Amino acid sequence: MQDQTTAGTLLGAMRANPPLVQCITNFVAMNIAANVMLAAGASPAMVHAEEEAAEFAAISGALTINIGTLSSGWLVGMLSAAQSARQAGKPWVLDPVAHYATAFRRKAVAQLLELQPTVIRGNASEIIALAGGISRGQGVDSRDPVELAEQSARQLAERHGCVVAVTGVTDFVTDGHKARRIEGGSPLMPQVTALGCSLTCLVGAFAATAPDNPFDATVAALAVFAVAGERAGAVAEGPGSFSWRFLDALAALDAEALTAKARIMPA
């Protein structure tokens, strides 16, 4: 019960003092990610321009970086923002979208990893490949089950001194020493674009709320998504109605319900 209670406590704390989170995410995700953040109780800022990204990172509670629609100019902003967040002691979250697909992406992720992300969140194929394994990923789609990526996640966490979250049917979170699995969600979630990207932003919000405890912060963010997704999926008629019902479920979820409904287990 301790993990569920911690998740509920962190949700309450985040809503009591909504953190400003700089979300450098992709074109596809910007709208839904901002709406997810607002529904959950955080304050998103989609600031990516190289002229201001670093300055904004220094005043934000946390930074999230998603390389989904990567470009040279955006990469400059990402690198400067990550360096600024690191210097300011702010947590930052890396979402290495399809990093294995091209040489440009591989080089970009290698540069970002040098700046020591607090949390890495990805699907199973992304995490396996990031650890040096061979994944079955195709573009942004994962073709590997989460359980196959668990050892890769542990290796990454130990190598980079960070928290690693693998999301899928049952999520997995580790800091290289302890680990948790989070059950819930809905089969409709992969049919709604950019929900994973939005989750990365929410991990940033919880990390801003608990900067000294990124492991519990990450678990809490994933638990929120799992419970809200399960609630929305129970009444949705398809991916279209799921999308807006998910936002409503996020907004309606409170600390007590999260504590009661979250399914967080040691791994």
Side-chain angles (χ1 to χ4, degrees):
M1 173 61 82
Q2 180 60 41
D3 287 307
Q4 286 89 329
T5 302
T6 300
T9 299
L10 289 177
L11 176 60
M14 185 187 70
R15 289 200 168 141
N17 187 22
L20 175 64
V21 182
Q22 181 179 359
C23 304
I24 304 181
T25 191
N26 61 75
F27 287 121
V28 179
M30 284 188 187
N31 182 265
I32 181 62
N35 284 334
V36 162
M37 292 284 277
L38 292 170
S43 178
M46 275 48 190
V47 177
H48 65 266
E50 58 185 282
E51 294 84 358
E52 64 173 349
E55 184 179 357
F56 205 91
I59 64 172
S60 298
L63 164 72
T64 68
I65 294 178
N66 173 301
I67 67 165
T69 51
L70 190 62
S71 70
S72 297
W74 277 36
L75 179 56
V76 173
M78 291 173 178
L79 293 170
S80 63
Q83 181 64 47
S84 178
R86 180 183 173 192
Q87 291 174 344
K90 305 294 180 65
W92 77 275
V93 184
L94 174 62
D95 190 336
V97 179
H99 65 89
Y100 44 73
T102 66
F104 179 44
R105 286 173 180 271
R106 290 191 291 273
K107 182 179 179 181
V109 165
Q111 291 175 290
L112 288 164
L113 285 173
E114 290 179 358
L115 297 173
Q116 299 177 319
T118 310
V119 182
I120 300 171
R121 190 220 65 87
N123 64 39
S125 294
E126 290 163 347
I127 296 303
I128 290 170
L130 199 60
I134 299 174
S135 78
R136 297 186 298 160
Q138 179 174 310
V140 301
D141 297 324
S142 179
R143 300 291 181 89
D144 297 289
V146 170
E147 55 268 24
L148 197 62
E150 290 186 0
Q151 186 57 35
S152 295
R154 293 180 193 271
Q155 293 170 355
L156 273 178
E158 291 177 357
R159 185 183 308 161
H160 296 286
C162 67
V163 173
V164 178
V166 191
T167 53
V169 175
T170 298
D171 300 329
F172 177 79
V173 179
T174 183
D175 63 0
H177 304 285
K178 55 184 177 293
R180 298 289 185 273
R181 294 188 183 97
I182 301 97
E183 293 183 346
S186 165
L188 291 171
M189 295 179 88
Q191 298 180 44
V192 179
T193 189
L195 280 190
C197 305
S198 303
L199 176 54
T200 296
C201 296
L202 189 62
V203 170
F206 275 89
T209 300
D212 296 328
N213 194 349
F215 178 82
D216 283 347
T218 303
V219 170
L222 270 57
V224 165
F225 248 57
V227 173
E230 193 166 54
R231 287 183 163 189
V235 291
E237 298 174 352
S241 60
F242 178 86
S243 183
W244 65 262
R245 289 184 186 279
F246 179 66
L247 289 178
D248 283 354
L250 276 177
L253 185 63
D254 56 26
E256 292 75 16
L258 181 60
T259 298
K261 299 297 184 181
R263 300 201 298 278
I264 303 167
M265 299 154 293

